[in-house]
Every structure is written in C-alpha cells, then in structure tokens.
Amino acid sequence: MRSERARLTALYGGLLVLAGALLMGLVYLLVSERLYASVLTAVAPAVPHGAAPAVRSGVASMPEPPSSDWAQTVVMEPGQYAMAKKVTTAAGDAALSQLLTVSGVSLAVYSVLSVALAWWMAGRVLRPVGVITARARRLSGSNLHERLALKAPPGELKELADTFDGMLDRIEELVAARQRFAANAAHELRTPLAVQRAAAEIGLADDPPPEKVAWIRDKLIDTAADSEQLIEGLLLLAVSDEGLRRRERVGLDATATTVTKALEPEARERSITVETEARPLPVEGDPVLLDHLVHNLVANALRHNHPGGTVRVRVGPGGLEVANTGPVVDPATVPLLFEPFRRAQARRHAPGEGAGLGLSIVASIARAHGGEASATANPGGGLTVRVALPACRSH
C-alpha cells in the first residue's frame, strides 16, 4: 500500500470489522448459554403427560431430573421431561444455526460498509494534506504570496496548515530581501565601474598632461579602494548570514577597547572625542566577526558625525552601546538603516563615505550570535545603537 489513504482505510476498516466480529461473537455466546434453558421453560408445559421415555437397545433410560431453578418449582413426569428435553435440543440447535447464518451475512454486509466508510473518512482526514501537497508543488518565485488559509476546526492539520502559511511568509520576506539586496549590490557596484570607465575614456583622451594623468590615477585608485571595501562588506555580510563556523570565549570589553584604540587616529583627524567605558562581558562566538561588529559601529559613529562631536562606547551586562553626535536622524528611518545600502543621508559619493552596509552587517553578526541589534535617534542629532548579546555562563 503506497497510499496513505489506503493505509488508513485498511486500519479503520480492520478495526471496525474486528469490533463487529467481537460483538457478534459475544452475542452468540450469550444467546447460546441461556437459549436451551429458555426454550425448555417455554416447551415443557406443552408436552402431554404420560410421554414415553426414550428406549435405547431395549433398555428404558430414565432421564435425569432437571437441575434448573425452574425444575425445582415444576413437577414433571420422567417421560414428559425427556420429550421436552428432545424438543428443546432440536429447537435450540435450529435457533443457533439461524443466528449464526444471520450473523455471518450481517458481518459481511457490515464489513463492506465499514471499508467504504473508512475510505470516505480517510479521504476527509487527508484532504488538507492533499491541499498542502498541491500548493507546495505549485510554489515558485512568482506565487509566493499565495497562502493555504485552510478553513477547518482547530486541530493538528489546521496547525500544520497555519505553520505552512507562516513558513511561506518567512520565505517570501527572505526572497524579497535577497532580491532587493542583489539589485542594490548591482547598483552600488555599477557606480564605481562607471566612474573608472569615464575616467579612462574621457580623462585619458587626447594625450592629457601629466598633472591630469596623476589626478586620474588617484581617482582610479580611490574608486578601486571603494569597490574593494564594498566587496569585502558583501562577503562579510554573506559569511555572517550563514551563521557561526566556530565558537570560543571572547571578552567583548577587551575587543571594544582594542578597536577604539585602533580608530583613535581617525578620531583625531576628524576632531572627535571617543569615550570608552568597558566592563567585563564574556560572550561565546567568533572573535573575528565580533571584532567587525564593534569596528563597524565605532567607524560609523565617527564617519556620521561632525567636527568636535563625541562617540561614547559602553560595554556591560546589557551588551554593547555606541552613541554618537551628528546630523539629526528621522526616527521613522531608523529601522531601515539595518537593511543593506540604506543611509540616513543621501549618498554624496565622497571618499570614505562607505557602502551603506555597516549596520546591516552589525545586525547579521548579532543574529548569528543569538543577539539583537537596535537603534534610536538622539534628540540632539546622531544615533544610539545597542547590541544585546547573551553572556557566557560561568563554569
């Protein structure tokens, strides 16, 4: 049996037939046990008095007196009892034979009806599964918006259908995000390529002077550096989305201190003050990814700031928090900043501007470590980003 409906039919039908056979067997047993006594009680008064006893081989055999309660209250002659006993036996055998025949025919009809009912019942039970199977076969990138929306009473199959719809919601969101990511990545990569091509075709045309060649060379180098930074960000985002490949105990406070010290030259160049408060926070994860997480947060806080501004880095039991001064950020756009290539300000194509992957990489690394990244706009300008990470359990 390769069909689940056939298996359920065999199971349900077999159980129904078995129950019917047991019921009929029980009825036959109970009827046969009391049948002869009941027939004898009904037949005895009709047997005439003086009935001759049975004769076997010329010797008169006197029947034993009845031992039932009825025999103790009714007085019968031996010949009368023998005749009643004979009639009772014949009548009981005929009744039991008829009961057995009727029971067999009834059981056969009942079995056919049971199998038909089991087949119908199995079909009703498996109908939602068939709907789910058919919908799963028709799924493609063009109809991920369709849902089962199964109308059924609460139960396991209803829960299965709702779970399937929830899975489709997540898949649709993931596919849409990947499509947006691919389109944005193509757009971001096309921009530096266009700049390089324009510099080569236009800037180097008509035998330009050495000063212009030097400027074009620096422009091509800067564009190539931006492209390299973008590609590295895309690769890092892809790696963090895959999850952690290794885990070890990492002191997030030490990582934050190291990163802020490494970025001190850039902070001095931008005239920005960096304040660091690091309390012990051991976490379990990938030290390289955690280093990128802290570096992206502090680097973003420095680049999206203004001269004379501040960056505050705090590490403690609640996780990591990086707050910076800077331009006013619309609170409605803050959640969008965690998507790839989203920026609080319009792109100016300035050197060191970044590709708009910083916070999306932070969010991806946080998810890979079982944490969560969030941000709020500061009333006076700038942004505060918080990353909650589960601390290591002390052994």
mmCIF file of all heavy atoms in Angstrom, residues 8 24 44 63 75 81-82 91 96 99 108-109 157 191 195 197 205 215 217 224 239-240 242 247 255 340 359:
data_model
loop_
_atom_site.group_PDB
_atom_site.id
_atom_site.type_symbol
_atom_site.label_atom_id
_atom_site.label_comp_id
_atom_site.label_asym_id
_atom_site.label_seq_id
_atom_site.Cartn_x
_atom_site.Cartn_y
_atom_site.Cartn_z
ATOM 1 N N LEU A 8 -4.840 4.088 5.819
ATOM 2 C CA LEU A 8 -5.831 4.473 6.823
ATOM 3 C C LEU A 8 -7.130 3.704 6.633
ATOM 4 O O LEU A 8 -7.794 3.336 7.618
ATOM 5 C CB LEU A 8 -6.095 5.975 6.726
ATOM 6 C CG LEU A 8 -4.976 6.889 7.223
ATOM 7 C CD1 LEU A 8 -5.346 8.350 7.015
ATOM 8 C CD2 LEU A 8 -4.676 6.633 8.693
ATOM 9 N N MET A 24 -20.552 -9.647 17.559
ATOM 10 C CA MET A 24 -21.420 -10.757 17.155
ATOM 11 C C MET A 24 -21.035 -12.046 17.872
ATOM 12 O O MET A 24 -21.897 -12.863 18.229
ATOM 13 C CB MET A 24 -21.353 -10.936 15.636
ATOM 14 C CG MET A 24 -21.986 -9.781 14.876
ATOM 15 S SD MET A 24 -21.968 -9.994 13.088
ATOM 16 C CE MET A 24 -22.766 -8.479 12.577
ATOM 17 N N ALA A 44 -41.884 -27.087 27.973
ATOM 18 C CA ALA A 44 -42.312 -28.113 28.943
ATOM 19 C C ALA A 44 -43.814 -28.110 29.220
ATOM 20 O O ALA A 44 -44.459 -29.168 29.241
ATOM 21 C CB ALA A 44 -41.528 -27.945 30.242
ATOM 22 N N PRO A 63 -34.528 -40.279 32.047
ATOM 23 C CA PRO A 63 -33.755 -39.020 32.047
ATOM 24 C C PRO A 63 -33.532 -38.510 33.456
ATOM 25 O O PRO A 63 -34.342 -38.754 34.346
ATOM 26 C CB PRO A 63 -34.651 -38.070 31.251
ATOM 27 C CG PRO A 63 -36.030 -38.585 31.436
ATOM 28 C CD PRO A 63 -35.896 -40.078 31.520
ATOM 29 N N VAL A 75 -43.299 -29.753 38.726
ATOM 30 C CA VAL A 75 -43.239 -31.211 38.842
ATOM 31 C C VAL A 75 -43.548 -31.819 37.481
ATOM 32 O O VAL A 75 -44.570 -31.506 36.873
ATOM 33 C CB VAL A 75 -44.254 -31.721 39.892
ATOM 34 C CG1 VAL A 75 -44.203 -33.238 39.973
ATOM 35 C CG2 VAL A 75 -43.953 -31.088 41.244
ATOM 36 N N TYR A 81 -40.478 -35.030 30.739
ATOM 37 C CA TYR A 81 -39.225 -34.258 30.722
ATOM 38 C C TYR A 81 -38.349 -34.680 29.555
ATOM 39 O O TYR A 81 -37.711 -33.840 28.903
ATOM 40 C CB TYR A 81 -38.485 -34.445 32.041
ATOM 41 C CG TYR A 81 -37.104 -33.818 32.023
ATOM 42 C CD1 TYR A 81 -36.968 -32.428 32.071
ATOM 43 C CD2 TYR A 81 -35.975 -34.604 31.919
ATOM 44 C CE1 TYR A 81 -35.727 -31.860 32.030
ATOM 45 C CE2 TYR A 81 -34.720 -34.033 31.872
ATOM 46 C CZ TYR A 81 -34.595 -32.656 31.945
ATOM 47 O OH TYR A 81 -33.338 -32.095 31.895
ATOM 48 N N ALA A 82 -38.315 -35.988 29.265
ATOM 49 C CA ALA A 82 -37.486 -36.468 28.160
ATOM 50 C C ALA A 82 -37.957 -35.876 26.837
ATOM 51 O O ALA A 82 -37.158 -35.453 25.990
ATOM 52 C CB ALA A 82 -37.519 -37.992 28.104
ATOM 53 N N ALA A 91 -34.904 -27.436 18.901
ATOM 54 C CA ALA A 91 -35.246 -26.029 18.703
ATOM 55 C C ALA A 91 -34.048 -25.117 18.938
ATOM 56 O O ALA A 91 -33.789 -24.156 18.204
ATOM 57 C CB ALA A 91 -36.398 -25.637 19.621
ATOM 58 N N LEU A 96 -29.782 -21.531 17.004
ATOM 59 C CA LEU A 96 -28.373 -21.119 16.940
ATOM 60 C C LEU A 96 -27.847 -21.147 15.519
ATOM 61 O O LEU A 96 -27.047 -20.295 15.109
ATOM 62 C CB LEU A 96 -27.528 -22.019 17.838
ATOM 63 C CG LEU A 96 -27.718 -21.832 19.348
ATOM 64 C CD1 LEU A 96 -26.859 -22.813 20.120
ATOM 65 C CD2 LEU A 96 -27.359 -20.398 19.748
ATOM 66 N N LEU A 99 -29.151 -18.108 13.890
ATOM 67 C CA LEU A 99 -28.439 -16.933 14.404
ATOM 68 C C LEU A 99 -27.056 -16.816 13.786
ATOM 69 O O LEU A 99 -26.602 -15.721 13.433
ATOM 70 C CB LEU A 99 -28.338 -17.016 15.935
ATOM 71 C CG LEU A 99 -27.537 -15.906 16.614
ATOM 72 C CD1 LEU A 99 -28.182 -14.549 16.374
ATOM 73 C CD2 LEU A 99 -27.415 -16.177 18.121
ATOM 74 N N ALA A 108 -20.747 -9.732 6.950
ATOM 75 C CA ALA A 108 -20.239 -9.466 5.604
ATOM 76 C C ALA A 108 -20.707 -8.102 5.101
ATOM 77 O O ALA A 108 -19.919 -7.312 4.558
ATOM 78 C CB ALA A 108 -20.697 -10.573 4.660
ATOM 79 N N VAL A 109 -22.010 -7.809 5.273
ATOM 80 C CA VAL A 109 -22.531 -6.502 4.852
ATOM 81 C C VAL A 109 -21.881 -5.388 5.665
ATOM 82 O O VAL A 109 -21.492 -4.331 5.138
ATOM 83 C CB VAL A 109 -24.059 -6.469 5.000
ATOM 84 C CG1 VAL A 109 -24.597 -5.074 4.678
ATOM 85 C CG2 VAL A 109 -24.701 -7.511 4.097
ATOM 86 N N LEU A 157 -4.083 19.213 11.853
ATOM 87 C CA LEU A 157 -3.971 19.579 10.449
ATOM 88 C C LEU A 157 -4.147 21.087 10.249
ATOM 89 O O LEU A 157 -3.476 21.681 9.399
ATOM 90 C CB LEU A 157 -5.007 18.813 9.626
ATOM 91 C CG LEU A 157 -4.761 17.307 9.524
ATOM 92 C CD1 LEU A 157 -5.875 16.635 8.738
ATOM 93 C CD2 LEU A 157 -3.411 17.029 8.863
ATOM 94 N N THR A 191 28.251 51.818 -9.957
ATOM 95 C CA THR A 191 28.699 53.196 -9.827
ATOM 96 C C THR A 191 30.219 53.338 -9.921
ATOM 97 O O THR A 191 30.715 54.144 -10.729
ATOM 98 C CB THR A 191 28.178 53.787 -8.507
ATOM 99 O OG1 THR A 191 26.753 53.742 -8.507
ATOM 100 C CG2 THR A 191 28.649 55.224 -8.335
ATOM 101 N N VAL A 195 32.494 55.175 -12.932
ATOM 102 C CA VAL A 195 33.489 56.218 -12.677
ATOM 103 C C VAL A 195 34.827 55.841 -13.291
ATOM 104 O O VAL A 195 35.509 56.673 -13.931
ATOM 105 C CB VAL A 195 33.621 56.457 -11.163
ATOM 106 C CG1 VAL A 195 34.786 57.399 -10.872
ATOM 107 C CG2 VAL A 195 32.331 57.036 -10.606
ATOM 108 N N ARG A 197 35.403 53.820 -15.792
ATOM 109 C CA ARG A 197 35.331 53.860 -17.258
ATOM 110 C C ARG A 197 35.348 55.295 -17.776
ATOM 111 O O ARG A 197 36.029 55.607 -18.779
ATOM 112 C CB ARG A 197 34.063 53.149 -17.723
ATOM 113 C CG ARG A 197 33.935 53.082 -19.237
ATOM 114 C CD ARG A 197 32.764 52.211 -19.635
ATOM 115 N NE ARG A 197 32.658 52.110 -21.087
ATOM 116 C CZ ARG A 197 31.769 51.354 -21.713
ATOM 117 N NH1 ARG A 197 30.912 50.623 -20.998
ATOM 118 N NH2 ARG A 197 31.741 51.317 -23.029
ATOM 119 N N ALA A 205 41.764 60.791 -22.761
ATOM 120 C CA ALA A 205 41.658 61.062 -24.200
ATOM 121 C C ALA A 205 42.534 62.257 -24.592
ATOM 122 O O ALA A 205 42.800 63.162 -23.788
ATOM 123 C CB ALA A 205 40.199 61.331 -24.569
ATOM 124 N N TRP A 215 46.063 62.949 -11.528
ATOM 125 C CA TRP A 215 44.748 63.082 -10.858
ATOM 126 C C TRP A 215 43.842 61.893 -11.190
ATOM 127 O O TRP A 215 43.143 61.364 -10.317
ATOM 128 C CB TRP A 215 44.097 64.381 -11.323
ATOM 129 C CG TRP A 215 42.742 64.597 -10.702
ATOM 130 C CD1 TRP A 215 42.470 65.141 -9.498
ATOM 131 C CD2 TRP A 215 41.486 64.251 -11.286
ATOM 132 N NE1 TRP A 215 41.125 65.162 -9.270
ATOM 133 C CE2 TRP A 215 40.488 64.618 -10.353
ATOM 134 C CE3 TRP A 215 41.110 63.676 -12.499
ATOM 135 C CZ2 TRP A 215 39.133 64.423 -10.611
ATOM 136 C CZ3 TRP A 215 39.762 63.488 -12.741
ATOM 137 C CH2 TRP A 215 38.783 63.853 -11.804
ATOM 138 N N ARG A 217 44.822 58.942 -12.058
ATOM 139 C CA ARG A 217 45.347 57.762 -11.376
ATOM 140 C C ARG A 217 44.863 57.710 -9.934
ATOM 141 O O ARG A 217 44.424 56.673 -9.440
ATOM 142 C CB ARG A 217 46.872 57.786 -11.422
ATOM 143 C CG ARG A 217 47.528 56.578 -10.766
ATOM 144 C CD ARG A 217 48.996 56.789 -10.573
ATOM 145 N NE ARG A 217 49.224 57.936 -9.673
ATOM 146 C CZ ARG A 217 50.430 58.449 -9.418
ATOM 147 N NH1 ARG A 217 51.503 57.967 -10.028
ATOM 148 N NH2 ARG A 217 50.550 59.471 -8.583
ATOM 149 N N ALA A 224 38.826 52.181 -6.913
ATOM 150 C CA ALA A 224 39.116 50.763 -6.705
ATOM 151 C C ALA A 224 39.083 50.405 -5.225
ATOM 152 O O ALA A 224 38.613 49.322 -4.844
ATOM 153 C CB ALA A 224 40.476 50.417 -7.306
ATOM 154 N N VAL A 239 28.971 35.878 4.949
ATOM 155 C CA VAL A 239 29.528 34.945 5.939
ATOM 156 C C VAL A 239 28.730 35.001 7.235
ATOM 157 O O VAL A 239 28.399 33.966 7.831
ATOM 158 C CB VAL A 239 31.009 35.265 6.195
ATOM 159 C CG1 VAL A 239 31.527 34.487 7.403
ATOM 160 C CG2 VAL A 239 31.841 34.920 4.957
ATOM 161 N N SER A 240 28.379 36.193 7.690
ATOM 162 C CA SER A 240 27.634 36.303 8.952
ATOM 163 C C SER A 240 26.227 35.760 8.816
ATOM 164 O O SER A 240 25.662 35.216 9.778
ATOM 165 C CB SER A 240 27.603 37.766 9.412
ATOM 166 O OG SER A 240 26.985 38.583 8.437
ATOM 167 N N GLU A 242 25.395 33.172 7.147
ATOM 168 C CA GLU A 242 25.466 31.711 7.185
ATOM 169 C C GLU A 242 25.517 31.162 8.599
ATOM 170 O O GLU A 242 25.319 29.973 8.816
ATOM 171 C CB GLU A 242 26.705 31.238 6.413
ATOM 172 C CG GLU A 242 26.615 31.445 4.911
ATOM 173 C CD GLU A 242 27.871 30.986 4.200
ATOM 174 O OE1 GLU A 242 28.811 30.534 4.904
ATOM 175 O OE2 GLU A 242 27.913 31.065 2.963
ATOM 176 N N ARG A 247 33.113 28.746 17.614
ATOM 177 C CA ARG A 247 32.711 29.440 18.830
ATOM 178 C C ARG A 247 33.818 29.320 19.867
ATOM 179 O O ARG A 247 34.381 28.242 20.045
ATOM 180 C CB ARG A 247 31.413 28.854 19.406
ATOM 181 C CG ARG A 247 30.167 29.160 18.582
ATOM 182 C CD ARG A 247 28.939 28.558 19.232
ATOM 183 N NE ARG A 247 27.722 28.847 18.487
ATOM 184 C CZ ARG A 247 26.960 29.918 18.684
ATOM 185 N NH1 ARG A 247 27.302 30.781 19.623
ATOM 186 N NH2 ARG A 247 25.865 30.122 17.967
ATOM 187 N N THR A 255 37.655 43.493 23.307
ATOM 188 C CA THR A 255 37.527 43.764 21.868
ATOM 189 C C THR A 255 37.171 45.222 21.619
ATOM 190 O O THR A 255 37.743 45.877 20.732
ATOM 191 C CB THR A 255 36.448 42.857 21.256
ATOM 192 O OG1 THR A 255 36.811 41.487 21.464
ATOM 193 C CG2 THR A 255 36.305 43.107 19.774
ATOM 194 N N PRO A 340 20.613 46.484 3.958
ATOM 195 C CA PRO A 340 21.803 46.809 3.164
ATOM 196 C C PRO A 340 21.593 48.036 2.284
ATOM 197 O O PRO A 340 20.509 48.249 1.734
ATOM 198 C CB PRO A 340 22.013 45.541 2.315
ATOM 199 C CG PRO A 340 21.334 44.451 3.079
ATOM 200 C CD PRO A 340 20.168 45.106 3.749
ATOM 201 N N LEU A 359 25.509 48.900 9.359
ATOM 202 C CA LEU A 359 24.529 48.426 10.339
ATOM 203 C C LEU A 359 23.901 47.106 9.921
ATOM 204 O O LEU A 359 23.491 46.313 10.782
ATOM 205 C CB LEU A 359 23.448 49.486 10.543
ATOM 206 C CG LEU A 359 23.899 50.739 11.287
ATOM 207 C CD1 LEU A 359 22.726 51.685 11.496
ATOM 208 C CD2 LEU A 359 24.545 50.391 12.621
#
